[in-house]
């Protein structure tokens, strides 16, 4: 299991439950089944309208992937590539073919099989880059489903708020004061459910899937480089060192990319704060 995902989910849920328990006289008031049905059911229904059924059903499989601690096995792939390239360099093509049957990564196995079959560099690059682009598009579409659900959940929370307010005003007009509290609770609790589902479940899952896709694309590009080096009859030691450097540089770029995204977000906040403060300074300048 993925420890960071489970830790984040349970800690976030625990913080919300603790805040409710410390602030509410009756914590059961925060459990509203009609409001929860409206938010969850409306979000699922809108997602079904937006995407084909088979793509929505894939959400459950993707959610299981997020919970798993899925390793990329980069070192194992490098070792297998070096072993096959060594056999090819020694002219032991039959043993290299036998070694391919034990390689677990299908992307790497197909690339090395093309090299052993005598494919050209152009064919290798075209086919392997096409597979990378297809994988990236598929996984981005899966993450986009969760981003879409993150936008639908607060919207249906606001819909529940409107329904609760309408019912509350109707009860006030009919002098049914006992129903005012129930309808007001529905009006507020649905917004709470929508915000929680959006920011504690759907958006974090989408971000984790996008991060996982970046890492997989990095690893696949590394394997493309290794397969091309194998076709060029480079030595196994050179291939190992090149791919090791490629892997380290790619991981640094991923970390630098995260830092740049955070810095851009901070600059945008500072600019928005500056624009918000500028109208308050103008009257003082005019009076002077």
């Amino acid at each position: 299991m993925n420890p960071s995902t489970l830790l984040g989910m349970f800690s976030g849920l625990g913080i919300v439950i603790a805040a409710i328990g410390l602030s509410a006289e009756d914590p059961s008031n925060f459990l509203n089944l009609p409001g929860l049905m409206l938010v969850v059911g409306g979000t699922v229904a809108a997602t079904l309208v937006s995407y084909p059924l088979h793509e929505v059903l894939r959400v459950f499989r993707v959610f299981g992937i997020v919970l798993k601690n899925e390793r990329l096995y980069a070192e194992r792939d490098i070792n297998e590539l070096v072993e096959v390239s060594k056999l090819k360099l020694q002219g032991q093509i039959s043993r290299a073919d036998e070694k391919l049957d034990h390689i677990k990564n299908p992307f790497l196995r197909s690339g090395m099989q093309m090299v052993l079959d005598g494919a050209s560099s152009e064919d290798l690059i075209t086919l392997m880059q096409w597979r990378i682009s297809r994988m990236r598009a598929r996984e981005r579409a899966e993450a986009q489903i969760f981003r879409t659900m993150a936008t639908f959940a607060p919207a249906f929370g606001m819909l529940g708020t409107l329904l609760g307010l309408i019912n509350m005003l109707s009860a006030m007009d009919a002098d049914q004061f006992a129903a005012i509290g129930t309808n007001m609770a529905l009006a507020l609790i649905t917004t709470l459910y929508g915000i929680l589902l959006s920011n504690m479940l759907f958006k974090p899952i989408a971000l984790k899937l996008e991060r996982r896709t970046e890492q997989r694309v990095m690893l696949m590009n590394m394997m493309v480089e290794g397969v091309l080096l194998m076709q060029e009859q480079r030595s196994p030691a050179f291939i190992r060192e090149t791919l090791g450097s490629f892997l380290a540089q790619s991981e640094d770029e991923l970390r630098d990319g995260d830092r740049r995204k955070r810095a851009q977000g901070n600059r945008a906040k500072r600019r928005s704060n500056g624009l918000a403060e500028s109208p308050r300074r103008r009257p003082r300048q005019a009076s002077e």
Side-chain angles (χ1 to χ4, degrees):
M1 301 298 287
N2 195 324
S4 65
T5 302
L6 295 177
L7 180 62
M9 293 176 63
F10 285 114
S11 62
L13 185 61
I15 290 172
V16 173
I17 293 175
I20 292 174
L22 294 174
S23 61
E25 295 181 359
D26 187 6
S28 63
N29 292 331
F30 286 83
L31 181 61
N32 190 295
L33 292 180
L36 186 61
M37 290 174 56
L38 177 62
V39 175
V40 176
T43 301
V44 173
T47 306
L48 287 172
V49 174
S50 304
Y51 294 94
L53 179 61
H54 68 276
E55 292 185 10
V56 177
L57 293 178
R58 260 202 332 258
V59 166
F60 300 101
R61 180 185 63 83
V62 173
F63 184 72
I65 292 175
V66 172
L67 294 179
K68 292 192 303 183
N69 188 13
E70 186 179 12
R71 298 176 57 189
L72 296 179
Y73 300 102
E75 294 295 334
R76 184 197 66 187
D77 292 336
I78 292 176
N79 292 332
E80 292 175 344
L81 178 60
V82 169
E83 290 177 5
V84 175
S85 64
K86 184 183 299 184
L87 294 175
K88 180 179 181 297
L89 194 63
Q90 295 173 354
Q92 303 179 21
I93 305 301
S94 60
R95 290 189 58 190
D97 285 329
E98 295 176 359
K99 185 67 177 179
L100 287 181
D101 297 333
H102 302 285
I103 293 178
K104 298 180 180 179
N105 192 323
F107 181 76
L108 179 61
R109 184 171 60 247
S110 64
M112 289 192 293
Q113 184 65 62
M114 291 182 65
V115 172
L116 296 179
D117 292 341
S120 63
S121 300
E122 291 77 11
D123 293 339
L124 276 171
I125 295 174
T126 300
L127 179 60
M128 300 185 78
Q129 289 296 332
W130 178 82
R131 293 186 62 177
I132 292 175
S133 63
R134 291 301 305 163
M135 185 275 298
R136 182 192 290 118
R138 183 182 67 254
E139 296 192 355
R140 283 183 177 177
E142 294 170 350
Q144 185 61 35
I145 293 178
F146 284 97
R147 287 198 173 273
T148 303
M149 296 175 73
T151 59
F152 286 151
F156 280 97
M158 289 301 299
L159 177 60
T161 300
L162 295 177
L163 292 177
L165 291 176
I166 292 172
N167 292 333
M168 184 186 68
L169 295 175
S170 300
M172 293 176 62
D173 184 62
D175 294 334
Q176 298 175 359
F177 294 102
I180 293 178
T182 302
N183 292 320
M184 189 64 185
L186 175 65
L188 297 178
I189 203 68
T190 52
T191 303
L192 175 64
Y193 289 157
I195 292 174
L196 287 177
L197 287 174
S198 175
N199 294 283
M200 289 187 61
L201 184 63
F202 298 141
K203 282 184 181 179
I205 290 177
L207 291 172
K208 178 148 287 190
L209 289 175
E210 291 170 353
R211 174 73 176 180
R212 171 177 172 270
T213 300
E214 291 177 0
Q215 292 175 338
R216 293 188 65 189
V217 169
M218 175 269 297
L219 180 60
M220 294 172 79
N221 283 323
M222 181 194 72
M223 287 185 283
V224 172
E225 184 68 23
V227 169
L228 292 176
L229 291 175
M230 174 181 168
Q231 188 192 39
E232 294 173 1
Q233 302 287 338
R234 296 299 184 96
S235 66
F238 179 81
I239 295 176
R240 184 185 297 275
E241 291 298 325
T242 301
L243 296 186
S245 302
F246 185 95
L247 181 62
Q249 181 181 359
S250 299
E251 291 177 349
D252 291 339
E253 289 176 356
L254 285 175
R255 288 192 290 268
D256 292 340
D258 292 340
R259 296 192 190 100
R260 284 195 295 269
K261 289 179 181 178
R262 288 195 295 268
Q264 290 173 0
N266 294 331
R267 285 195 296 269
K269 290 180 181 178
R270 288 195 294 268
R271 285 196 297 267
S272 62
N273 293 334
L275 292 174
E277 294 175 357
S278 58
R280 292 196 294 269
R281 291 196 294 268
R282 291 173 183 169
R284 293 199 299 269
Q285 294 173 358
S287 61
E288 292 173 359

